[in-house]
Protein backbone atom coordinates (compact mmCIF):
# COMPACT_ATOMS: atom_id res chain seq x y z
CA UNK A 1 0.00 0.00 0.00
CA UNK A 2 1.51 3.28 -1.11
CA UNK A 3 1.32 6.55 0.70
CA UNK A 4 -1.46 8.75 -0.64
CA UNK A 5 -0.41 11.67 1.52
CA UNK A 6 3.04 12.37 2.83
CA UNK A 7 3.77 15.48 4.88
CA UNK A 8 7.36 16.27 5.88
CA UNK A 9 8.44 18.97 8.31
CA UNK A 10 5.53 21.25 7.46
CA UNK A 11 5.60 24.80 8.84
CA UNK A 12 2.84 27.34 8.63
CA UNK A 13 2.62 30.82 10.14
CA UNK A 14 -0.15 33.40 10.22
CA UNK A 15 1.81 36.63 10.66
CA UNK A 16 3.61 36.15 13.95
CA UNK A 17 1.64 33.12 14.99
CA UNK A 18 3.18 29.73 14.29
CA UNK A 19 0.23 27.46 13.59
CA UNK A 20 2.01 24.36 12.38
CA UNK A 21 5.47 23.46 13.64
CA UNK A 22 7.37 20.67 12.00
CA UNK A 23 4.44 18.43 11.13
CA UNK A 24 5.22 15.07 9.56
CA UNK A 25 2.71 12.35 8.89
CA UNK A 26 1.55 9.95 6.22
CA UNK A 27 -1.73 8.49 5.07
CA UNK A 28 -1.80 5.19 3.21
CA UNK A 29 -4.26 4.13 0.57
CA UNK A 30 -7.63 3.21 2.04
CA UNK A 31 -6.71 4.50 5.45
CA UNK A 32 -9.03 6.61 7.58
CA UNK A 33 -7.11 9.06 9.74
CA UNK A 34 -8.91 11.18 12.31
CA UNK A 35 -7.22 14.32 13.55
CA UNK A 36 -8.31 15.42 17.01
CA UNK A 37 -7.18 18.10 19.42
CA UNK A 38 -8.31 21.29 21.15
CA UNK A 39 -9.44 24.22 19.01
CA UNK A 40 -6.53 26.33 17.85
CA UNK A 41 -4.27 23.30 17.73
CA UNK A 42 -3.81 23.66 13.96
CA UNK A 43 -5.75 20.62 12.81
CA UNK A 44 -8.03 22.45 10.36
CA UNK A 45 -5.07 24.43 9.06
CA UNK A 46 -3.17 21.22 8.45
CA UNK A 47 -6.08 19.85 6.43
CA UNK A 48 -6.37 23.06 4.42
CA UNK A 49 -2.66 22.99 3.62
CA UNK A 50 -3.09 19.59 1.96
CA UNK A 51 -5.00 21.08 -0.99
CA UNK A 52 -3.34 24.46 -0.70
CA UNK A 53 -6.26 26.45 0.54
CA UNK A 54 -3.49 27.72 2.82
CA UNK A 55 0.01 28.57 1.68
CA UNK A 56 2.79 26.90 3.64
CA UNK A 57 6.11 28.34 4.76
CA UNK A 58 8.30 25.30 4.98
CA UNK A 59 8.46 21.56 4.49
CA UNK A 60 6.92 19.45 1.77
CA UNK A 61 3.52 17.96 1.08
CA UNK A 62 3.13 15.13 -1.36
CA UNK A 63 -0.34 14.01 -2.36
CA UNK A 64 -0.92 11.18 -4.86
CA UNK A 65 2.72 11.35 -5.89
CA UNK A 66 2.69 15.07 -6.67
CA UNK A 67 4.93 17.33 -4.64
CA UNK A 68 2.87 20.42 -3.85
CA UNK A 69 5.92 22.68 -4.26
CA UNK A 70 6.35 21.45 -7.84
CA UNK A 71 2.71 21.53 -8.87
CA UNK A 72 2.18 23.74 -11.92
CA UNK A 73 -1.57 23.34 -12.23
CA UNK A 74 -3.11 23.61 -8.78
CA UNK A 75 -6.61 23.17 -10.19
CA UNK A 76 -5.74 19.80 -11.72
CA UNK A 77 -4.09 18.78 -8.44
CA UNK A 78 -7.23 19.64 -6.49
CA UNK A 79 -9.52 17.61 -8.76
CA UNK A 80 -8.40 14.40 -7.09
CA UNK A 81 -8.81 15.70 -3.54
CA UNK A 82 -12.38 16.02 -2.29
CA UNK A 83 -13.05 18.47 0.52
CA UNK A 84 -16.00 18.80 2.86
CA UNK A 85 -16.36 21.95 4.95
CA UNK A 86 -17.84 22.67 8.33
CA UNK A 87 -20.19 25.25 6.77
CA UNK A 88 -21.19 23.00 3.82
CA UNK A 89 -20.62 25.81 1.27
CA UNK A 90 -23.16 24.50 -1.20
CA UNK A 91 -23.76 26.80 -4.17
CA UNK A 92 -27.11 28.44 -3.37
CA UNK A 93 -27.68 29.56 -6.96
CA UNK A 94 -27.76 26.00 -8.27
CA UNK A 95 -30.06 23.05 -7.64
CA UNK A 96 -28.80 20.06 -5.68
CA UNK A 97 -28.21 18.14 -8.91
CA UNK A 98 -26.37 21.09 -10.47
CA UNK A 99 -24.19 21.39 -7.37
CA UNK A 100 -23.03 17.85 -8.15
CA UNK A 101 -22.67 18.15 -11.93
CA UNK A 102 -21.22 21.67 -12.21
CA UNK A 103 -17.54 20.90 -11.62
CA UNK A 104 -17.30 17.55 -13.46
CA UNK A 105 -18.97 19.01 -16.56
CA UNK A 106 -17.13 22.32 -16.44
CA UNK A 107 -13.74 20.64 -16.00
CA UNK A 108 -14.61 18.19 -18.78
CA UNK A 109 -14.22 15.16 -16.56
CA UNK A 110 -17.56 13.84 -17.80
CA UNK A 111 -20.23 14.50 -20.38
CA UNK A 112 -23.40 16.15 -19.13
CA UNK A 113 -25.29 12.84 -19.29
CA UNK A 114 -22.60 10.89 -17.47
CA UNK A 115 -22.37 13.57 -14.79
CA UNK A 116 -26.13 13.52 -14.23
CA UNK A 117 -26.13 9.71 -14.00
CA UNK A 118 -23.24 9.81 -11.55
CA UNK A 119 -24.92 12.56 -9.51
CA UNK A 120 -28.18 10.59 -9.28
CA UNK A 121 -26.23 7.55 -8.16
CA UNK A 122 -24.44 9.55 -5.45
CA UNK A 123 -27.65 11.19 -4.27
CA UNK A 124 -29.09 7.70 -3.84
CA UNK A 125 -26.04 6.74 -1.79
CA UNK A 126 -26.50 9.70 0.57
CA UNK A 127 -30.25 9.10 0.64
CA UNK A 128 -31.36 12.32 -1.03
CA UNK A 129 -32.62 11.21 -4.44
CA UNK A 130 -35.91 13.03 -3.97
CA UNK A 131 -34.06 16.32 -3.42
CA UNK A 132 -32.32 16.40 -6.79
CA UNK A 133 -34.17 19.43 -8.15
CA UNK A 134 -34.53 21.61 -5.05
CA UNK A 135 -32.26 24.49 -4.09
CA UNK A 136 -29.91 24.13 -1.10
CA UNK A 137 -31.79 26.73 0.94
CA UNK A 138 -34.64 24.26 1.43
CA UNK A 139 -32.42 21.57 2.97
CA UNK A 140 -31.67 20.92 6.62
CA UNK A 141 -28.08 21.10 7.85
CA UNK A 142 -27.61 17.36 7.77
CA UNK A 143 -29.04 17.16 4.25
CA UNK A 144 -26.79 20.01 3.12
CA UNK A 145 -23.71 18.25 4.43
CA UNK A 146 -24.71 14.99 2.74
CA UNK A 147 -25.10 16.88 -0.54
CA UNK A 148 -21.70 18.50 0.06
CA UNK A 149 -20.14 15.05 0.48
CA UNK A 150 -21.85 13.86 -2.71
CA UNK A 151 -20.63 16.99 -4.53
CA UNK A 152 -17.04 16.22 -3.56
CA UNK A 153 -17.45 12.57 -4.58
CA UNK A 154 -18.84 13.58 -7.98
CA UNK A 155 -15.31 14.47 -9.03
CA UNK A 156 -14.18 10.89 -8.36
CA UNK A 157 -11.55 12.00 -5.86
CA UNK A 158 -8.87 9.59 -4.67
CA UNK A 159 -8.78 11.06 -1.19
CA UNK A 160 -11.36 12.93 0.88
CA UNK A 161 -10.66 15.66 3.43
CA UNK A 162 -13.29 16.45 6.05
CA UNK A 163 -12.96 19.68 8.03
CA UNK A 164 -15.14 19.27 11.12
CA UNK A 165 -18.06 18.08 8.99
CA UNK A 166 -20.53 17.78 11.86
CA UNK A 167 -19.55 20.77 14.00
CA UNK A 168 -22.15 23.11 12.50
CA UNK A 169 -24.99 20.60 12.75
CA UNK A 170 -27.81 20.27 15.23
CA UNK A 171 -27.14 17.21 17.39
CA UNK A 172 -29.93 15.14 15.89
CA UNK A 173 -28.42 15.51 12.41
CA UNK A 174 -24.88 14.44 13.27
CA UNK A 175 -25.71 10.75 12.93
CA UNK A 176 -26.94 10.87 9.34
CA UNK A 177 -23.74 12.57 8.19
CA UNK A 178 -21.47 10.23 10.13
CA UNK A 179 -23.35 7.25 8.65
CA UNK A 180 -22.56 8.47 5.13
CA UNK A 181 -18.91 8.88 6.10
CA UNK A 182 -18.83 5.44 7.66
CA UNK A 183 -20.18 3.93 4.45
CA UNK A 184 -17.51 5.76 2.50
CA UNK A 185 -14.78 4.43 4.80
CA UNK A 186 -16.08 0.88 4.44
CA UNK A 187 -15.85 1.19 0.67
CA UNK A 188 -12.15 1.88 1.05
CA UNK A 189 -11.98 5.63 0.49
CA UNK A 190 -8.84 7.26 1.84
CA UNK A 191 -10.00 9.84 4.34
CA UNK A 192 -8.53 12.49 6.62
CA UNK A 193 -11.13 13.69 9.08
CA UNK A 194 -10.70 16.60 11.45
CA UNK A 195 -13.36 15.97 14.05
CA UNK A 196 -14.63 16.37 17.56
CA UNK A 197 -16.69 13.18 17.25
CA UNK A 198 -14.66 10.83 19.42
CA UNK A 199 -17.18 8.04 18.90
CA UNK A 200 -16.63 8.24 15.17
CA UNK A 201 -12.86 8.31 15.58
CA UNK A 202 -12.93 5.30 17.87
CA UNK A 203 -15.19 3.29 15.61
CA UNK A 204 -14.09 4.19 12.10
CA UNK A 205 -10.52 5.48 12.19
CA UNK A 206 -7.56 3.27 11.41
CA UNK A 207 -5.35 5.79 13.11
CA UNK A 208 -5.91 8.82 15.33
CA UNK A 209 -3.64 11.85 15.36
CA UNK A 210 -3.71 14.13 18.39
CA UNK A 211 -2.54 17.70 17.77
CA UNK A 212 -1.84 20.54 20.13
CA UNK A 213 -0.11 23.91 19.63
CA UNK A 214 0.86 23.10 16.08
CA UNK A 215 2.56 19.82 16.94
CA UNK A 216 1.49 16.24 16.47
CA UNK A 217 1.69 15.12 20.07
CA UNK A 218 0.59 11.55 19.67
CA UNK A 219 -0.42 9.20 16.90
CA UNK A 220 -1.74 5.69 17.34
CA UNK A 221 -4.58 3.26 16.74
CA UNK A 222 -7.91 4.39 18.20
CA UNK A 223 -7.92 1.55 20.72
CA UNK A 224 -4.57 2.61 22.07
CA UNK A 225 -5.28 6.33 21.93
CA UNK A 226 -8.55 6.14 23.79
CA UNK A 227 -7.64 3.49 26.34
CA UNK A 228 -4.04 4.20 26.92
CA UNK A 229 -2.86 7.65 25.83
CA UNK A 230 0.87 8.03 26.26
CA UNK A 231 1.18 11.78 26.78
CA UNK A 232 -0.33 13.77 29.64
CA UNK A 233 -1.71 16.38 27.28
CA UNK A 234 -3.56 13.84 25.25
CA UNK A 235 -4.90 12.18 28.39
CA UNK A 236 -6.16 15.51 29.70
CA UNK A 237 -7.79 16.41 26.40
CA UNK A 238 -9.55 13.07 26.15
CA UNK A 239 -10.69 13.35 29.73
CA UNK A 240 -12.26 16.74 29.01
CA UNK A 241 -14.14 15.61 25.89
CA UNK A 242 -15.18 12.05 26.68
CA UNK B 1 -57.04 73.45 -12.52
CA UNK B 2 -58.13 72.98 -16.12
CA UNK B 3 -55.76 75.78 -17.14
CA UNK B 4 -52.93 74.00 -15.28
CA UNK B 5 -53.43 70.78 -17.20
CA UNK B 6 -54.07 72.37 -20.56
CA UNK B 7 -50.80 74.24 -20.16
CA UNK B 8 -49.17 70.89 -19.34
CA UNK B 9 -50.52 69.54 -22.63
CA UNK B 10 -49.24 72.58 -24.44
CA UNK B 11 -45.67 72.25 -23.21
CA UNK B 12 -45.54 68.46 -22.98
CA UNK B 13 -43.96 67.90 -26.43
CA UNK B 14 -41.13 70.33 -25.60
CA UNK B 15 -40.55 68.75 -22.19
CA UNK B 16 -40.59 65.24 -23.68
CA UNK B 17 -37.87 66.38 -26.07
CA UNK B 18 -35.85 67.23 -23.00
CA UNK B 19 -36.75 63.93 -21.36
CA UNK B 20 -35.46 62.08 -24.41
CA UNK B 21 -32.07 63.74 -23.98
CA UNK B 22 -32.15 63.10 -20.23
CA UNK B 23 -32.68 59.39 -20.87
CA UNK B 24 -30.02 59.19 -23.57
CA UNK B 25 -27.42 60.85 -21.33
CA UNK B 26 -28.42 58.82 -18.28
CA UNK B 27 -28.20 55.52 -20.18
CA UNK B 28 -24.90 56.39 -21.89
CA UNK B 29 -23.53 57.72 -18.62
CA UNK B 30 -24.48 54.57 -16.72
CA UNK B 31 -22.96 52.37 -19.42
CA UNK B 32 -19.71 54.32 -19.14
CA UNK B 33 -19.96 54.07 -15.35
CA UNK B 34 -20.45 50.29 -15.51
CA UNK B 35 -17.36 49.83 -17.67
CA UNK B 36 -15.20 52.14 -15.53
CA UNK B 37 -16.72 50.70 -12.35
CA UNK B 38 -15.82 47.14 -13.36
CA UNK B 39 -12.22 48.19 -14.05
CA UNK B 40 -11.91 50.04 -10.72
CA UNK B 41 -13.57 47.14 -8.89
CA UNK B 42 -11.12 44.64 -10.39
CA UNK B 43 -8.27 46.83 -9.15
CA UNK B 44 -9.73 47.10 -5.66
CA UNK B 45 -10.26 43.33 -5.24
CA UNK B 46 -6.95 42.43 -6.91
CA UNK B 47 -5.21 42.21 -3.56
CA UNK B 48 -2.18 44.03 -5.02
CA UNK B 49 -1.43 46.93 -2.70
CA UNK B 50 -0.52 49.46 -5.41
CA UNK B 51 -3.63 48.73 -7.46
CA UNK B 52 -5.90 48.80 -4.42
CA UNK B 53 -4.48 52.19 -3.42
CA UNK B 54 -4.93 53.54 -6.95
CA UNK B 55 -8.56 52.40 -6.95
CA UNK B 56 -9.18 53.95 -3.54
CA UNK B 57 -7.60 57.23 -4.63
CA UNK B 58 -9.81 57.36 -7.71
CA UNK B 59 -12.92 56.67 -5.67
CA UNK B 60 -11.96 59.26 -3.03
CA UNK B 61 -11.35 61.98 -5.62
CA UNK B 62 -14.46 61.36 -7.71
CA UNK B 63 -16.73 61.01 -4.69
CA UNK B 64 -15.26 64.13 -3.15
CA UNK B 65 -16.10 66.40 -6.08
CA UNK B 66 -19.65 67.75 -6.46
CA UNK B 67 -21.05 66.83 -9.88
CA UNK B 68 -21.56 70.52 -10.66
CA UNK B 69 -17.84 71.26 -10.19
CA UNK B 70 -16.85 68.13 -12.08
CA UNK B 71 -19.10 69.19 -14.97
CA UNK B 72 -17.91 72.82 -15.09
CA UNK B 73 -14.25 71.89 -14.63
CA UNK B 74 -14.22 69.14 -17.24
CA UNK B 75 -16.42 70.88 -19.79
CA UNK B 76 -15.04 74.41 -19.64
CA UNK B 77 -11.59 73.64 -18.26
CA UNK B 78 -10.52 70.44 -19.99
CA UNK B 79 -12.77 69.30 -22.84
CA UNK B 80 -13.65 72.79 -24.15
CA UNK B 81 -14.75 72.12 -27.74
CA UNK B 82 -12.85 68.88 -28.24
CA UNK B 83 -15.96 66.69 -27.95
CA UNK B 84 -19.66 67.09 -28.84
CA UNK B 85 -21.77 68.34 -25.94
CA UNK B 86 -23.74 65.09 -25.60
CA UNK B 87 -20.59 62.98 -25.46
CA UNK B 88 -19.09 65.31 -22.86
CA UNK B 89 -22.24 65.20 -20.76
CA UNK B 90 -22.39 61.39 -20.81
CA UNK B 91 -18.71 61.19 -19.97
CA UNK B 92 -19.06 63.56 -17.01
CA UNK B 93 -22.08 61.72 -15.65
CA UNK B 94 -20.38 58.36 -16.23
CA UNK B 95 -17.22 59.46 -14.47
CA UNK B 96 -19.21 60.68 -11.50
CA UNK B 97 -21.23 57.46 -11.21
CA UNK B 98 -18.23 55.16 -11.84
CA UNK B 99 -16.86 55.62 -8.32
CA UNK B 100 -20.19 54.61 -6.80
CA UNK B 101 -20.52 51.74 -9.28
CA UNK B 102 -17.10 50.41 -8.34
CA UNK B 103 -18.12 50.40 -4.69
CA UNK B 104 -21.42 48.65 -5.47
CA UNK B 105 -19.58 45.94 -7.43
CA UNK B 106 -16.92 45.50 -4.76
CA UNK B 107 -19.43 45.32 -1.93
CA UNK B 108 -21.56 42.83 -3.88
CA UNK B 109 -18.64 40.51 -4.55
CA UNK B 110 -17.27 40.75 -1.03
CA UNK B 111 -20.70 40.05 0.42
CA UNK B 112 -20.45 36.50 -0.94
CA UNK B 113 -19.14 34.18 1.74
CA UNK B 114 -15.50 33.26 1.13
CA UNK B 115 -16.45 29.61 1.66
CA UNK B 116 -18.06 29.69 -1.80
CA UNK B 117 -14.70 30.49 -3.35
CA UNK B 118 -12.96 27.81 -1.29
CA UNK B 119 -15.56 25.17 -2.09
CA UNK B 120 -15.36 25.83 -5.83
CA UNK B 121 -11.57 26.00 -5.84
CA UNK B 122 -11.32 22.76 -3.86
CA UNK B 123 -13.33 21.05 -6.62
CA UNK B 124 -10.67 22.15 -9.10
CA UNK B 125 -12.35 25.22 -10.63
CA UNK B 126 -10.01 28.10 -11.49
CA UNK B 127 -10.40 31.57 -9.99
CA UNK B 128 -12.02 32.87 -13.18
CA UNK B 129 -14.37 29.88 -13.50
CA UNK B 130 -15.39 30.35 -9.88
CA UNK B 131 -16.02 34.05 -10.41
CA UNK B 132 -18.09 33.43 -13.53
CA UNK B 133 -20.22 30.51 -12.36
CA UNK B 134 -20.38 30.86 -8.58
CA UNK B 135 -19.49 34.30 -7.22
CA UNK B 136 -20.77 36.77 -9.84
CA UNK B 137 -24.23 35.22 -10.34
CA UNK B 138 -24.81 35.54 -6.60
CA UNK B 139 -23.18 38.97 -6.34
CA UNK B 140 -25.16 40.46 -9.22
CA UNK B 141 -28.38 39.51 -7.51
CA UNK B 142 -27.29 41.37 -4.38
CA UNK B 143 -26.21 44.37 -6.45
CA UNK B 144 -29.44 44.93 -8.36
CA UNK B 145 -31.19 47.20 -5.86
CA UNK B 146 -28.06 49.35 -5.46
CA UNK B 147 -27.47 49.44 -9.20
CA UNK B 148 -31.03 50.55 -9.80
CA UNK B 149 -30.65 53.14 -7.09
CA UNK B 150 -27.51 54.48 -8.73
CA UNK B 151 -29.24 54.60 -12.10
CA UNK B 152 -32.06 56.64 -10.58
CA UNK B 153 -29.58 58.96 -8.87
CA UNK B 154 -27.70 59.49 -12.11
CA UNK B 155 -30.94 60.07 -13.99
CA UNK B 156 -31.81 62.86 -11.57
CA UNK B 157 -28.25 64.18 -11.66
CA UNK B 158 -28.63 64.91 -15.37
CA UNK B 159 -30.51 68.01 -14.21
CA UNK B 160 -27.18 69.41 -13.00
CA UNK B 161 -25.85 69.16 -16.55
CA UNK B 162 -28.06 72.11 -17.45
CA UNK B 163 -25.08 74.03 -16.03
CA UNK B 164 -23.19 73.20 -19.21
CA UNK B 165 -26.25 73.96 -21.35
CA UNK B 166 -27.28 70.41 -22.16
CA UNK B 167 -30.82 70.66 -23.42
CA UNK B 168 -32.19 67.98 -21.09
CA UNK B 169 -35.48 68.11 -19.20
CA UNK B 170 -34.49 70.69 -16.57
CA UNK B 171 -32.82 72.91 -19.15
CA UNK B 172 -35.95 72.72 -21.33
CA UNK B 173 -38.05 73.81 -18.37
CA UNK B 174 -35.70 76.72 -17.68
CA UNK B 175 -35.82 77.82 -21.31
CA UNK B 176 -39.62 77.79 -21.34
CA UNK B 177 -39.79 79.72 -18.06
CA UNK B 178 -37.35 82.30 -19.41
CA UNK B 179 -40.05 83.21 -21.93
CA UNK B 180 -43.34 82.81 -20.02
CA UNK B 181 -42.28 83.30 -16.38
CA UNK B 182 -44.56 80.43 -15.27
CA UNK B 183 -42.01 78.90 -12.87
CA UNK B 184 -44.59 77.11 -10.66
CA UNK B 185 -46.33 75.36 -13.52
CA UNK B 186 -43.37 74.45 -15.68
CA UNK B 187 -41.10 73.18 -12.91
CA UNK B 188 -43.96 71.14 -11.47
CA UNK B 189 -44.53 69.58 -14.91
CA UNK B 190 -40.87 68.64 -15.03
CA UNK B 191 -41.09 67.21 -11.53
CA UNK B 192 -44.14 65.11 -12.48
CA UNK B 193 -42.30 63.70 -15.49
CA UNK B 194 -39.27 62.80 -13.33
CA UNK B 195 -41.52 61.10 -10.77
CA UNK B 196 -43.32 59.03 -13.40
CA UNK B 197 -40.11 57.82 -15.03
CA UNK B 198 -38.39 57.01 -11.74
CA UNK B 199 -41.40 55.18 -10.33
CA UNK B 200 -41.58 53.10 -13.49
CA UNK B 201 -37.89 52.23 -13.14
CA UNK B 202 -38.32 51.27 -9.49
CA UNK B 203 -41.19 48.93 -10.34
CA UNK B 204 -39.13 47.42 -13.13
CA UNK B 205 -36.22 46.76 -10.80
CA UNK B 206 -38.48 44.99 -8.32
CA UNK B 207 -39.70 42.72 -11.10
CA UNK B 208 -36.13 41.90 -12.12
CA UNK B 209 -35.19 41.22 -8.52
CA UNK B 210 -38.08 38.82 -8.05
CA UNK B 211 -37.28 36.93 -11.23
CA UNK B 212 -33.68 36.41 -10.18
CA UNK B 213 -34.59 35.18 -6.74
CA UNK B 214 -33.59 31.59 -6.00
CA UNK B 215 -33.90 31.48 -2.24
CA UNK B 216 -37.66 31.30 -2.11
CA UNK B 217 -38.85 28.13 -0.54
Amino acid sequence: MGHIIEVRHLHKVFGELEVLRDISFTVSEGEVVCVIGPSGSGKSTLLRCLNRLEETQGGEIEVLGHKLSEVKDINRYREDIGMVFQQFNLFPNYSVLENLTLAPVMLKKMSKEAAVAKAEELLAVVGLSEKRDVFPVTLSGGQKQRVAIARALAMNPKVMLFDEPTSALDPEMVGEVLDVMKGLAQEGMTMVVVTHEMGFAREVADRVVFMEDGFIVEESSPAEMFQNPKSDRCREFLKSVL
Amino acid sequence: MIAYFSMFGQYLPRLLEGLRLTMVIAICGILIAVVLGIIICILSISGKSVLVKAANLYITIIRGIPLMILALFLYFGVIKNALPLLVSASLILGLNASAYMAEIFRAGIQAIDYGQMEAARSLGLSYMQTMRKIILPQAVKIMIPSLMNQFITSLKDTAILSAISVNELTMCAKTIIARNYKAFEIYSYAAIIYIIIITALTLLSRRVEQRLSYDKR
Side-chain angles (χ1 to χ4, degrees):
Chain A
M1 283 208 299
H3 287 159
I4 293 248
I5 300 175
E6 198 167 344
V7 177
R8 290 182 292 268
H9 307 296
L10 182 66
H11 284 269
K12 161 81 191 167
V13 292
F14 284 122
E16 299 278 287
L17 187 70
E18 218 177 340
V19 199
L20 298 177
R21 321 176 199 217
D22 199 27
I23 297 278
S24 297
F25 86 114
T26 58
V27 181
S28 304
E29 195 176 341
E31 209 180 7
V32 177
V33 175
C34 283
V35 184
I36 62 169
S39 50
S41 58
K43 48 195 195 312
S44 282
T45 308
L46 170 61
L47 199 72
R48 292 160 55 83
C49 286
L50 297 179
N51 67 351
R52 217 212 267 168
L53 286 181
E54 302 286 352
E55 296 288 336
T56 55
Q57 276 77 42
E60 181 63 282
I61 295 172
E62 204 175 319
V63 179
L64 301 161
H66 300 286
K67 288 199 174 72
L68 194 48
S69 59
E70 290 167 6
V71 163
K72 296 276 189 310
D73 184 356
I74 186 66
N75 301 317
R76 179 66 198 80
Y77 169 92
R78 284 171 173 151
E79 284 179 19
D80 294 327
I81 308 174
M83 183 139 188
V84 175
F85 300 84
Q86 185 177 345
Q87 297 298 339
F88 331 127
N89 297 338
L90 293 180
F91 306 132
N93 51 331
Y94 293 102
S95 72
V96 165
L97 188 80
E98 288 165 336
N99 264 273
L100 269 64
T101 57
L102 184 98
V105 172
M106 203 166 180
L107 300 170
K108 301 198 166 54
K109 296 258 296 190
M110 294 174 207
S111 67
K112 183 85 205 268
E113 294 72 29
V116 170
K118 170 95 185 167
E120 283 173 339
E121 182 192 317
L122 286 168
L123 285 176
V125 170
V126 300
L128 291 171
S129 294
E130 78 283 9
K131 298 288 186 188
R132 83 191 275 278
D133 295 318
V134 307
F135 283 90
V137 70
T138 62
L139 301 177
S140 72
Q143 292 172 331
K144 280 182 189 161
Q145 195 60 301
R146 286 187 277 155
V147 171
I149 294 171
R151 177 179 66 178
L153 291 173
M155 287 295 289
N156 280 326
K158 300 197 175 63
V159 51
M160 287 282 285
L161 311 177
F162 294 85
D163 187 4
E164 304 197 21
T166 57
S167 297
L169 297 176
D170 291 336
E172 76 269 21
M173 291 169 182
V174 170
E176 63 192 64
V177 171
L178 292 182
D179 284 344
V180 168
M181 291 168 63
K182 246 177 254 176
L184 203 54
Q186 276 155 11
E187 275 168 36
M189 176 61 79
T190 308
M191 295 162 62
V192 183
V193 185
V194 171
T195 188
H196 293 290
E197 292 295 329
M198 297 303 148
F200 178 82
R202 196 197 307 246
E203 190 185 337
V204 181
D206 296 305
R207 196 146 47 85
V208 180
V209 172
F210 173 71
M211 282 184 74
E212 190 172 48
D213 284 337
F215 292 106
I216 291 181
V217 179
E218 197 169 330
E219 192 179 347
S220 61
S221 71
E224 215 178 308
M225 174 82 71
F226 289 110
Q227 273 150 36
N228 212 354
K230 286 190 277 297
S231 64
D232 293 342
R233 290 152 89 185
C234 185
R235 196 172 308 126
E236 264 167 49
F237 172 74
L238 288 174
K239 215 166 79 187
S240 66
V241 297
L242 286 176
Chain B
M1 200 61 179
I2 292 165
Y4 179 82
F5 283 110
S6 74
M7 194 192 284
F8 196 179
Q10 184 193 337
Y11 288 109
L12 192 59
R14 291 274 316 273
L15 292 169
L16 288 183
E17 275 290 289
L19 177 67
R20 197 175 60 85
L21 221 51
T22 290
M23 294 302 289
V24 168
I25 295 168
I27 290 168
C28 293
I30 280 291
L31 289 178
I32 293 168
V34 165
V35 173
L36 286 176
I38 288 172
I39 295 169
I40 301 298
C41 171
I42 290 171
L43 297 185
S44 65
I45 62 170
S46 67
K48 300 222 166 35
S49 170
V50 184
L51 300 182
V52 175
K53 278 183 187 143
N56 284 342
L57 184 67
Y58 177 88
I59 291 169
T60 307
I61 291 174
I62 296 288
R63 282 208 299 204
I65 304 174
L67 179 55
M68 176 78 94
I69 296 291
L70 190 70
L72 295 173
F73 169 73
L74 284 181
Y75 190 65
F76 295 113
V78 180
I79 300 173
K80 292 172 184 162
N81 289 321
L83 291 171
L85 181 57
L86 268 191
V87 177
S88 307
S90 305
L91 216 54
I92 289 162
L93 194 70
L95 221 53
N96 172 260
S98 67
Y100 299 96
M101 280 292 179
E103 286 294 87
I104 292 168
F105 293 147
R106 187 190 54 75
I109 289 169
Q110 289 180 348
I112 305 304
D113 185 68
Y114 195 67
Q116 292 287 306
M117 176 62 86
E118 290 192 333
R121 297 302 306 272
S122 76
L123 288 166
L125 266 60
S126 70
Y127 179 84
M128 287 309 289
Q129 287 171 324
T130 304
M131 272 293 171
R132 195 155 52 82
K133 298 294 270 193
I134 310 293
I135 308 292
L136 289 180
Q138 296 182 57
V140 166
K141 192 184 155 268
I142 297 178
M143 291 172 198
I144 283 172
S146 313
L147 286 177
M148 215 56 214
N149 202 18
Q150 183 56 46
F151 183 60
I152 288 169
T153 303
S154 286
L155 185 75
K156 288 195 281 188
D157 280 351
T158 53
I160 292 172
L161 296 171
S162 61
I164 57 168
S165 311
V166 181
N167 222 351
E168 43 65 60
L169 180 51
T170 302
M171 188 66 186
C172 275
K174 278 188 192 171
T175 315
I176 296 167
I177 293 162
R179 275 192 233 134
N180 68 4
Y181 303 107
K182 304 268 188 206
F184 178 86
E185 288 83 353
I186 305 294
Y187 278 138
S188 65
Y189 301 153
I192 289 166
I193 293 173
Y194 278 119
I195 290 170
I196 290 170
I197 290 298
I198 282 156
T199 309
L201 282 171
T202 311
L203 292 176
L204 181 75
S205 89
R206 280 202 202 125
R207 286 281 295 274
V208 174
E209 234 177 288
Q210 275 162 9
R211 288 195 62 177
L212 283 178
S213 155
Y214 49 71
D215 40 17
K216 272 179 303 197
R217 278 170 193 261

